[in-house]
Amino acid sequence: MTLKKITIAIDGHSSTGKSTMAKALAKRIGYAYVDTGAMYRAVTLFALRNKLIRRGKVDEPALKEHLKRGDIAITFRPTKEGKSVTVLNGKNVERYIRSMRVSNVVSIIAAIGFVRKAMVKQQQAMGKDKGLVMDGRDIGTVVFPDAEMKVFATASAEVRAQRRFDELRAKGDTTTTFDEVLANVTERDRIDSTRKESPLRQADDAVVLDNSHMTLEEQDEWLYNLYLARAKN
Ligand code: DC
């Protein structure tokens, strides 16, 4: 059986484990992996560090100018352990972009049209030769509407909040409560799905993956089989 190189778009709600599944699939089939949420998170971190967000309001003209000047360079760097970390202006910012401080305001940054335009342009350039797995919210609808494989991942809000909560605890955050995380997950769903610019929606040709009650192994097999079906010549 010969397999052709394809583009794989994985979209869906926050904390559905999109990056985990996308990473595992990319590794298994030898594809590159791009976490587009990390790119919006890196822009958010830049905005926070430069005091461009005050009381939930973004200084859009200033942010636009920074983007235009190329002050916000986002790349990914492989680590010795075979992982990939997000790099902002030459510095590994992986730890900072996953903090609640960034999570709480990233939806506001991701809703800005000129930010999305700049990110989408970079993402399309990364995927021009196919052979990559990209996860986000608008990959199958806006970034790669012609992707051969599109997955829309979802799970109940409680299951997703529990996963994020466990992650925070594992990272040493002992103060954030489960209810705070659940509120953040629900609020982000609302903002992501109702924003004017590229709202989160399932592409017509996407396949839904509800992993509320799936093991990681079951999920990996499901994705791999879908990949084989789509990449078959
Ligand atoms: O997947 P994540 O939780 O790291 O995403 C962070 C935020 O960025 C989330 O609010 C949705 C937004 N996002 C987006 O609007 N478009 C993407 N392609 C990826 C993420």
Side-chain angles (χ1 to χ4, degrees):
M1 179 167 69
T2 56
L3 296 170
K4 61 175 186 268
K5 227 196 235 186
I6 62 168
T7 302
I8 302 178
I10 302 192
D11 292 302
H13 291 110
S14 63
S15 303
T16 40
K18 289 189 300 293
S19 355
T20 307
M21 68 177 85
K23 257 183 242 166
L25 179 65
K27 193 168 174 202
R28 183 164 181 181
I29 65 179
Y31 274 26
Y33 160 67
V34 177
D35 173 357
T36 63
M39 297 171 74
Y40 291 98
R41 286 172 179 273
V43 176
T44 305
L45 182 68
F46 178 92
L48 284 168
R49 285 181 170 173
N50 288 277
K51 311 236 175 339
L52 303 181
I53 308 177
R54 284 183 194 274
R55 286 189 217 100
K57 275 251 172 292
V58 181
D59 182 346
E60 294 194 17
L63 182 60
K64 194 173 190 172
E65 188 56 31
H66 280 295
L67 274 170
K68 208 170 92 190
R69 284 208 306 250
D71 295 345
I72 315 178
I74 304 162
T75 51
F76 296 96
R77 187 192 292 158
T79 65
K80 275 183 257 136
E81 295 80 35
K83 288 191 178 155
S84 162
V85 294
T86 311
V87 173
L88 171 64
N89 297 329
K91 297 240 162 63
N92 175 357
V93 290
E94 198 56 42
R95 209 159 71 85
Y96 307 108
I97 63 167
R98 309 287 165 198
S99 65
M100 282 301 277
R101 181 170 169 245
V102 168
S103 297
N104 284 336
V105 288
V106 60
S107 301
I108 306 173
I109 293 289
I112 301 173
F114 64 80
V115 173
R116 302 204 68 83
K117 219 168 142 191
M119 295 303 116
V120 168
K121 203 170 148 199
Q122 286 188 32
Q123 291 152 10
Q124 287 172 336
M126 292 175 195
K128 65 177 183 348
D129 297 327
K130 299 193 182 225
L132 98 167
V133 183
M134 190 174 273
D135 82 41
R137 303 293 187 288
D138 59 341
I139 313 306
T141 51
V142 177
V143 183
F144 297 120
D146 297 330
E148 292 85 352
M149 171 168 161
K150 297 183 187 178
V151 174
F152 190 85
T154 190
S156 74
E158 284 73 19
V159 167
R160 290 185 284 133
Q162 188 64 51
R163 290 177 186 155
R164 185 78 17 132
F165 178 76
D166 293 343
E167 241 171 57
L168 287 170
R169 281 286 183 273
K171 280 185 196 149
D173 177 340
T174 53
T175 48
T176 309
T177 66
F178 173 79
D179 286 345
E180 280 166 357
V181 181
L182 181 60
N184 178 260
V185 164
T186 314
E187 179 61 4
R188 283 209 290 152
D189 282 356
R190 193 188 64 74
I191 299 179
D192 290 347
S193 317
T194 58
R195 70 181 176 213
K196 271 216 297 286
E197 296 285 339
S198 315
L200 170 66
R201 68 171 183 85
Q202 188 192 324
D204 296 335
D205 49 352
V207 187
V208 175
L209 169 66
D210 183 334
N211 63 13
S212 302
H213 306 293
M214 255 174 150
T215 65
L216 285 180
E217 289 74 23
E218 284 166 349
Q219 175 171 287
D220 288 347
E221 283 312 296
W222 186 96
L223 282 164
Y224 184 64
N225 286 326
L226 184 60
Y227 156 73
L228 289 180
R230 295 296 156 85
K232 237 183 346 219
N233 264 315

